[in-house]
Amino acid sequence: MSRRAALRRAAVREWGPPAAAVRTALAERGARALALTLTATALTALVQLVQNHSWGYGPVRALGAVRAEDPFWSALLRTPLSLFVPALDLPVWGALAQILLVFGVAEICLGRWRTLAVAYAATLAGTLYARIGVALGPEAFLGLPASDARVVDTGPSAAVVALAVYVCHQRRARFTGALVVVAMVVEVLVKDNLAGREHLAAIAVVLAVCGVREWLGRRAPAPPRAGRRPPRPGPDDGRPHPGPDGGGQLRASARAAAVPGPGRRR
């Protein structure tokens, strides 16, 4: 087998199941299969457009910017919108392409509500890690400097990374999932910042959820085997059945059948 054929087979084994699911969903439901994805992409583009104006920057920061220095309940209320607030120092087209691709595949493979739950869990994990890291300080393991308390969280990128890992685990695309994790680790090693560490926190939460799901799946009872057992003799099938005395009733029936009754001859 040539190297090109081997790579083609590996690609089909890795990406074939999610690609088939996407094709089937788009053929059957069209744009309705991507309702959440299209809404998230449009909302992210709208937020980016608004926050780039002087009149919109303040409201977007007040409603969707989450920092570690903010009061906890205030930050929690801002978390739903923070998922759609892209970073100002990065090109928005990259964020929109990531949302359209990763959210789209996740919405089809996982379902709409599970996709939204994983995305928000990843965003919340990054936010909570920032608070814990700043509280620990830079001297502690996984600690953060005090200056990171004023840095706005990652926006949609943590959710995109977490969804990519979750879909790879769910569809058994192990190589791609491992590649995403390694890329995020390299990002932190090359440029250690709050965004990269929040990505790792989101991945850690998703991997923990995947591990719990695998453990629960192994503990679940095995489904019954296919096929039907032969029916057991019932009480009225015309055959004698053993009674409580361990077969005495059956023997009595046999003796009664051997004794001739009135009018019979041996």
Side-chain angles (χ1 to χ4, degrees):
M1 182 186 299
S2 65
R3 183 177 300 178
R4 180 176 300 179
L7 290 176
R8 185 181 298 111
R9 289 186 60 182
V12 170
R13 184 170 58 251
E14 184 82 4
W15 300 316
V22 170
R23 286 196 302 268
T24 302
L26 292 178
E28 293 178 353
R29 294 183 288 162
R32 292 179 300 167
L34 301 175
L36 173 63
T37 301
L38 297 177
T39 302
T41 305
L43 185 57
T44 304
L46 177 62
V47 170
Q48 173 69 9
L49 182 64
V50 170
Q51 73 175 354
N52 278 325
H53 290 81
S54 58
W55 52 267
Y57 178 82
V60 169
R61 295 289 131 173
L63 296 176
V66 178
R67 305 177 182 85
E69 66 179 2
D70 296 334
F72 176 75
W73 293 110
S74 175
L76 197 62
L77 290 175
R78 295 175 186 173
T79 299
L81 184 60
S82 71
L83 180 60
F84 308 104
V85 179
L88 287 171
D89 57 341
L90 296 177
V92 69
W93 301 112
L96 295 179
Q98 291 177 0
I99 293 174
L100 190 61
L101 175 63
V102 177
F103 268 69
V105 175
E107 183 176 2
I108 291 174
C109 293
L110 305 178
R112 189 169 302 163
W113 295 111
R114 186 182 298 181
T115 299
L116 200 59
V118 172
Y120 275 120
T123 303
L124 189 58
T127 300
L128 294 178
Y129 164 72
R131 292 176 174 274
I132 296 173
V134 170
L136 292 174
E139 295 81 9
F141 178 67
L142 299 179
L144 296 171
S147 58
D148 283 345
R150 297 184 294 274
V151 178
V152 180
D153 69 354
T154 59
S157 59
V160 167
V161 171
L163 283 172
V165 174
Y166 195 95
V167 170
C168 288
H169 175 269
Q170 197 256 1
R171 294 289 171 164
R172 296 297 186 262
R174 302 185 186 278
F175 177 78
T176 305
L179 191 63
V180 173
V181 175
V182 170
M184 294 301 102
V185 173
V186 172
E187 177 191 11
V188 172
L189 294 177
V190 172
K191 185 179 180 180
D192 190 4
N193 55 13
L194 179 61
R197 294 200 177 200
E198 287 186 347
H199 293 164
L200 293 182
I203 290 175
V205 169
V206 167
L207 291 179
V209 171
C210 294
V212 170
R213 286 175 56 86
E214 290 285 344
W215 180 71
L216 292 177
R218 289 194 296 268
R219 286 177 56 89
R225 295 182 179 180
R228 298 178 61 183
R229 294 182 178 179
R232 294 182 178 180
D236 55 350
D237 59 357
R239 290 179 294 177
H241 303 282
D245 59 347
Q249 185 177 358
L250 182 61
R251 291 191 297 270
S253 300
R255 287 195 301 268
V259 176
R264 293 184 181 179
R265 297 179 63 184
R266 286 185 177 269

